[in-house]
Amino acid sequence: MQESGLKAVSEDAHHDALRVAIVVNSYPPRLGGLESHVFQLASELVKAGAHVLVVCLSTSASDTVEQGVRVVRLRMHFPIESIISFPALGTTRRLSRLLTEERISVVSTHTRFFPMSWVGVDAAVRSRIPIIHTEHGAGFVRVRSASIQFFARLVDLTLGRRALRRADRVLAVSAQSAQFVTRLSGVDSTVFPNALQLEFWPPTQKTQPPNGIAFLGRLVGGKGWETVIDVAVELITKRGFDDLVVHVLGDGPESELLRLYVQASGIASSVQIHGHAHVATIRSALERSVLVNPSELAEGFQVTLLEAVASGAQVVSYPVPSIAPLLADGGPMRQVEVDSFDALVECVADALRNPLPPMPRGTLESRWSWRVRSHEYLDIAQSVIAARAARNGRGARSV
């Protein structure tokens, strides 16, 4: 990391606004649910009048303003299988100085597993700035590599636990994430679910039943993309769904494995591999599809399921934390209670033949929009700042 990558901007138009520093390992254009959460949170906080600084890691250093958000990218070091990377030595000290110079009101970190969360927490402690940590996982990291899994658990039990305990407030993206926070650190947390910028997800005009199935997510081990292809093979070759369209939306380190798997499946002509897709492509693919989610990872709250609901898709999933709250709000969800391939196929076939009603648009807007969620975050930030000021024996600064 070059020290010049952490320079303060002296004059700013938002002198009296809440000033939030989001310190994370990765940020768009890198893809993933956490990146989507942070990007949309940052964007909506700016729309609500806050000043937002994002500090993250990337392959090269830069300092830009993107949709009103100042994004400082520091050069990453020692990347491990596209899962984790590290900042340069001395980043905590330099970040602490930047937080002070930028008059940051509150520091926001995300997921106890990533090094920038530890750096962000330590820099905030040095600068005596309140910390809000959001936990996105619902369990210890699960990957194909046993050695990485062991290392990840060791990190969780040491540095991850320490970061959770040092935060002024911990948020969790689901009830299961909150339970994991308590098990790992003994800290109570507030459920703060994922959301969508609904202006990019207009009401669906769908009038016909689904004619396809879809996978949406990172192409990594445990997400279940192979299982979705296997389900498609079963439906097309044995269950009479001859005209089924299969959409694969997403990219990742196993993209070439996916292509080889599809070529060997015998149904390659039915499969559309979209790679990294824009929102319009995702909406179009999902609008008449059943999203199949056989993830076996320690998911916190998969925003992909919410995107499917907003698109008008049916959803069939193994048990994951995002199913229950979306189902409670009228989402067209089916949960496969038995972790078996046959049960999954039966459930997908039923969704194709007997689609459930979509979630009401009013519910999406009042419960699942970032416009609403960002104001909830601002309220939480104000309360954290006020509580810190009260502990320090002085009145809360007006922000």
Side-chain angles (χ1 to χ4, degrees), residues 19-40:
R19 304 176 72 85
V20 182
I22 302 176
V23 184
V24 287
N25 253 56
S26 59
Y27 189 76
R30 183 177 168 84
L31 309 174
L34 186 149
E35 290 84 359
S36 173
H37 179 107
V38 171
F39 173 78
Q40 294 180 68

Side-chain angles (χ1 to χ4, degrees), residues 16 52 65 82 108 128 142 176 191 194 200-201 249 267-268 318 326 328 331 335 366 374 392:
D16 298 320
V52 180
V65 176
S82 79
S108 170
R128 300 180 180 179
R142 293 201 291 264
Q176 290 86 340
V191 175
N194 251 317
F200 300 114
W201 302 87
L249 300 137
I267 62 163
Y318 284 159
L326 292 174
Q335 180 171 286
S366 65
S374 64
N392 291 341

Side-chain angles (χ1 to χ4, degrees), residues 77 115 156 204 285 333 371 379 397:
H77 298 266
D156 276 343
T204 177
M333 327 292 290
R371 181 184 59 81
D379 289 343
R397 179 168 63 88

Side-chain angles (χ1 to χ4, degrees), residues 7 31 34 59-60 90 95 115 182 245 254 264 337 342 352:
K7 288 182 179 178
L31 309 174
L34 186 149
T59 53
S60 59
L95 177 58
T182 301
V245 181
E254 295 190 351
E337 300 296 343
D342 290 341
L352 287 165

Side-chain angles (χ1 to χ4, degrees), residues 225-233 246 248 258 261-262 265 267 271:
W225 58 263
E226 314 101 307
T227 304
V228 175
I229 301 303
D230 293 342
V231 168
V233 170
V246 185
V248 181
L258 164 69
Y261 202 83
V262 169
S265 69
I267 62 163
V271 180

Side-chain angles (χ1 to χ4, degrees), residues 215 245-250 258-259 272-277 281-282 285:
F215 170 88
V245 181
V246 185
H247 298 280
V248 181
L249 300 137
L258 164 69
R259 295 183 188 281
Q272 298 180 18
I273 301 176
H274 299 272
H276 169 52
T281 301
I282 295 172

